[in-house]
Amino acid sequence: MRTLLSSLLISTTGLALAPLPADAPPRGFFPQSIQVQRDLEARFKTMPDPSHMREAMRRLSARPHHVGSPYDKDNAQWILNEFKSYGWDAHIENFDVLFPTPVERIVELVAPTTFRASLQETALPGDPTSNQQSEQLPSYNAYSIDGDVTGPLVFVNYGVPADYDELEQRGISVKGAIVIAKYGGSWRGIKPKVAAEHGAIGCLIYSDPRDDGYAGGDVFPGGPMRPAQGVQRGSVADMPVYPGDPLTPGVGATKSAKRLTVAQASTITKIPVLPISYGDAQPLLAALGGPIAPGSWRGGLPITYRLGAGPARVHLRVKSDWGLKTLYDVIARLPGTTEADQWIIRGNHHDAWVNGAQDPISGLVAELEEARALGTLYKGGWRPKRTIIYAAWDGEEPGLLGSTEWVETHTDELRAHAVAYLNSDTNSRGYLGIEGSHSLEKFINGVAMDVEDPESGVSSWKRLQASRILNGTPEVRKDARDREDLRIESLQELALTLVERANADEGESARLDSRKRPALMLER
């Protein structure tokens, strides 16, 4: 099943279309069809309305909408109604998945002095949504096992295997200890996994201001950087083992599905894990003794970074509600004509850890605006040759839940009909990013040549080429100058990227057979 379900993605952000040069006709069309296609695309390009997307973003991000929340369901119903108003045949598919939510969280320094972490993000006057704390999930790492542990603290840098090799060379063991690791350097789920493999009994993860705070600029609300009490939520499920619902690997999480027990689910962590702010991390790190940390390990806090172990001792307690929550995948369809049995699938998720204006709503509102434009063309008499399916997935943030369960439920249909999957996640300022099946490399390069960069006025392809020539390695620069097409990241690189993006950095996966079902992820 898992070999069948590998995924392909293209990620784009904030793009506006412009016509191809006259000497570069779109690929894949007979000569007599090229002008018809150009005319159709010209009509399509006049339809997206930024004000419409802005209002949709305000509506969808107005309240916290994590999995299982009232506004998550409300958003799904609103998206469904939007698709229907555009002329699409749309419905909601439900799945019941394991989604633990925090009941109790304690982090406290018990020696050589005492300190209790607030574990609370501060409400800010300039951000009215920050006051919606009764609707927000507390900061936590989903799929951390419950636990109540006390032990010496050890600083492990980013908590990747090479960091433990460095500690071992210095004679420092984490066996029986609680480790504290910086976010970054790997996907967050690697940190508790490797810690447990080395005998640690608990894991704390914090965002160091050198990587994600005032070292990069003014903190919010004065600037975009993370403030002292800001915490990165996210999943720590062992998704390389399998994504999706931990209790129903390989099958859709329908009401009748046979489920594992929580104890049998191999993707749940082996030790308790909790994310904390750098404001809460500073007293813990300051209490560490032992050798001074290597220069590359030191962060941006005004302390001497030491490795431990001790004399700092920490008490960590994590307890969650391990109930099932209902997902609401919104699936919309425009039927094809001459090749209706071939499906082109397009997806973006709609759930968020909190309000999610950037991730995922910035990506979702663009998908919805595409759907509105396609619906307008459809109402005017245009018919696609292939069937087009648009999806607004639920439960992406905890572990690609909605897309995985949908694919596992519709495996036989997807084997027979799926042709390609195009995914997006977020939109932001920057350069075009392309990842996915190399069989689509020429296709997406052609599209990028036809997409104007809104800042520079040249094509997105040309701006990306210039960026690679300016900033790339010698090999990348030569490639960008000499190759007809810009390279896209491989499937293996994409799979790693998907795992690494499991929060603001996670990607989406409605996984299709990589041998036959090309997929792309567009991002900027």
Side-chain angles (χ1 to χ4, degrees), residues 31 37 42 77 93 117 124 179 215 277 287 355 364 407 417 430 466 517 520:
Q37 179 64 21
Q77 186 62 52
E93 293 192 35
L124 299 169
V179 303
S277 66
N355 294 68
L364 179 63
V407 168
H417 301 295
R517 278 75 170 174
L520 293 171

Side-chain angles (χ1 to χ4, degrees), residues 8 17 38 43-44 51 64 87 126 132 199 218 230 237 252 310 377 383 411 459 483 498 522:
L8 213 16
L17 297 178
R38 287 194 187 282
R43 290 170 56 199
F44 178 87
S51 65
Q132 298 170 340
D218 292 335
L377 292 175
R383 296 293 182 269
T411 295
S459 72
R483 285 189 94 235
L498 289 175
L522 310 173

Side-chain angles (χ1 to χ4, degrees), residues 98-100 141-146 192-193 196 235-239 241-242 245-247 260-273 322:
L98 180 69
F99 180 58
N141 287 137
Y143 303 113
S144 163
I145 195 171
D146 289 350
K193 180 182 177 73
S235 173
V236 288
D238 197 355
M239 285 192 287
V241 176
Y242 58 87
D245 177 31
L247 304 187
L260 303 175
T261 65
V262 173
Q264 292 171 322
S266 59
T267 57
I268 294 169
T269 66
K270 304 300 187 288
I271 58 175
V273 191
W322 290 85

Side-chain angles (χ1 to χ4, degrees), residues 187-216:
W187 173 60
R188 79 179 69 78
I190 296 297
K191 302 173 191 294
K193 180 182 177 73
V194 177
E197 291 171 350
H198 285 80
I201 59 173
C203 179
L204 300 173
I205 313 175
Y206 80 102
S207 299
D208 194 278
R210 178 180 175 182
D211 302 321
D212 187 9
Y214 49 74

Side-chain angles (χ1 to χ4, degrees), residues 273-506:
V273 191
L274 201 65
I276 61 175
S277 66
Y278 60 81
D280 279 341
Q282 182 171 337
L284 307 181
L285 292 166
L288 281 172
I292 294 175
S296 61
W297 287 34
R298 300 170 201 165
L301 293 169
I303 60 171
T304 300
Y305 282 74
R306 295 183 180 273
L307 301 177
R313 289 181 61 83
V314 169
H315 172 220
L316 168 64
R317 177 169 170 80
V318 177
K319 183 179 180 181
S320 294
D321 174 353
W322 290 85
L324 299 183
K325 306 295 189 302
T326 300
L327 299 181
Y328 300 87
D329 284 349
V330 187
I331 309 297
R333 178 186 301 250
L334 280 182
T337 51
T338 57
E339 300 175 67
D341 63 337
Q342 297 184 25
W343 298 352
I344 306 296
I345 307 170
R346 166 84 169 94
N348 200 104
H349 70 102
H350 69 78
D351 66 296
W353 283 115
V354 194
N355 294 68
Q358 197 263 348
D359 182 6
I361 302 305
S362 65
L364 179 63
V365 296
E367 182 189 54
L368 290 174
E369 195 66 0
E370 295 165 22
R372 188 179 69 84
L374 291 172
T376 300
L377 292 175
Y378 193 87
K379 291 174 181 178
W382 167 76
R383 296 293 182 269
K385 292 181 178 180
R386 295 177 176 88
T387 295
I388 301 173
I389 296 175
Y390 267 42
W393 307 116
D394 200 358
E396 185 270 353
E397 295 292 359
L400 313 177
L401 302 181
S403 56
T404 299
E405 302 315 311
W406 187 80
V407 168
E408 290 174 341
T409 299
H410 297 279
T411 295
D412 292 341
E413 294 171 90
L414 292 169
R415 284 184 187 273
H417 301 295
V419 173
Y421 177 69
L422 283 81
N423 185 84
S424 60
D425 192 27
T426 63
N427 281 326
S428 55
R429 181 182 179 187
Y431 300 101
L432 174 67
I434 310 168
E435 302 158 330
S437 300
H438 284 165
S439 60
L440 292 178
E441 184 177 84
K442 283 192 175 296
F443 164 77
I444 194 58
N445 270 266
V447 172
M449 291 176 185
D450 195 30
V451 172
E452 182 180 293
D453 179 83
E455 285 190 316
S456 65
V458 300
S459 72
S460 292
W461 187 95
K462 193 67 178 176
R463 190 177 188 194
L464 178 59
Q465 181 197 38
S467 172
R468 291 184 178 183
I469 292 172
L470 181 65
N471 303 315
T473 64
E475 182 181 358
V476 168
R477 291 199 297 268
K478 184 177 187 304
D479 226 31
R481 287 190 180 99
D482 297 346
R483 285 189 94 235
E484 178 184 2
D485 295 312
L486 298 174
R487 291 187 189 274
I488 65 176
E489 288 189 26
S490 68
L491 276 175
Q492 182 177 5
E493 292 168 327
L494 174 61
L496 293 172
T497 300
L498 289 175
V499 170
E500 290 169 357
R501 287 183 180 172
N503 187 44
D505 19 358
E506 21 316 355

